[in-house]
């Protein structure tokens, strides 16, 4: 088993299968019950926002949640096994990849 630390992933570039740079890893989504890593939060390159049908903010950029199931490998970059076209289509459909909002879907239940 090969381990990688968050500090090694944070800021690492993310490439689609067809070699296009999506952006960089900004955060992670971990299931708090199982402690499994579910997704990478990717800070998108500003010039891709139009392709993903996202508004360009005055400063900064938008983020995209990318399922860890799409990751084919990690070296100096995170390589996905989805093309840019496939990722855009999935984001439009709201599939396993999609825009991330600041508010959580559900609050954890109290024990």
């Amino acid at each position: 088993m090969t381990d990688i630390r968050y500090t090694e992933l944070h800021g690492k570039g993310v490439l689609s299968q067809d070699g296009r740079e999506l952006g960089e890893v900004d955060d992670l989504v971990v299931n708090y019950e199982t402690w499994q890593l579910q997704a990478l939060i990717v800070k998108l390159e500003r010039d891709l926002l139009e392709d993903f049908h996202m508004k360009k903010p005055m400063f900064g950029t938008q983020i995209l949640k990318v399922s860890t199931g799409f990751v084919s490998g990690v070296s100096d970059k995170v390589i996905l096994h989805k093309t840019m076209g496939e990722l855009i289509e999935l984001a439009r459909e709201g599939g396993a990849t999609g825009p991330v909002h600041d508010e959580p879907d559900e609050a954890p239940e109290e024990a």
Side-chain angles (χ1 to χ4, degrees), residues 50-95:
E50 203 169 292
D51 293 339
F52 280 92
H53 298 281
M54 294 178 175
K55 292 183 180 183
K56 277 189 180 179
M58 187 172 290
F59 302 103
T61 187
Q62 299 271 10
I63 54 178
L64 193 71
K65 181 168 64 173
V66 177
S67 170
T68 54
F70 295 168
V71 176
S72 65
V74 178
S75 58
D76 60 329
K77 303 272 187 189
V78 176
I79 312 296
L80 305 178
H81 67 78
K82 297 285 185 191
T83 65
M84 184 66 75
E86 291 171 325
L87 291 167
I88 290 168
E89 189 61 33
L90 284 166
R92 284 185 191 161
E93 295 171 0

Side-chain angles (χ1 to χ4, degrees), residues 1-96:
M1 179 170 141
T2 304
D3 295 334
I4 189 164
R5 296 172 56 138
Y6 168 76
T7 54
E8 295 172 283
L9 275 177
H10 186 260
K12 199 172 277 281
V14 180
L15 294 177
S16 63
Q17 184 181 34
D18 48 355
R20 294 194 52 200
E21 180 94 26
L22 266 77
E24 62 182 39
V25 176
D26 189 53
D27 208 347
L28 306 173
V29 177
V30 176
N31 180 304
Y32 71 93
E33 290 178 344
T34 65
W35 287 98
Q36 291 183 335
L37 181 60
Q38 294 183 319
L40 303 176
I41 304 299
V42 177
K43 189 184 322 180
L44 291 172
E45 294 288 330
R46 280 183 64 85
D47 61 344
L48 292 177
L49 295 181
E50 203 169 292
D51 293 339
F52 280 92
H53 298 281
M54 294 178 175
K55 292 183 180 183
K56 277 189 180 179
M58 187 172 290
F59 302 103
T61 187
Q62 299 271 10
I63 54 178
L64 193 71
K65 181 168 64 173
V66 177
S67 170
T68 54
F70 295 168
V71 176
S72 65
V74 178
S75 58
D76 60 329
K77 303 272 187 189
V78 176
I79 312 296
L80 305 178
H81 67 78
K82 297 285 185 191
T83 65
M84 184 66 75
E86 291 171 325
L87 291 167
I88 290 168
E89 189 61 33
L90 284 166
R92 284 185 191 161
E93 295 171 0

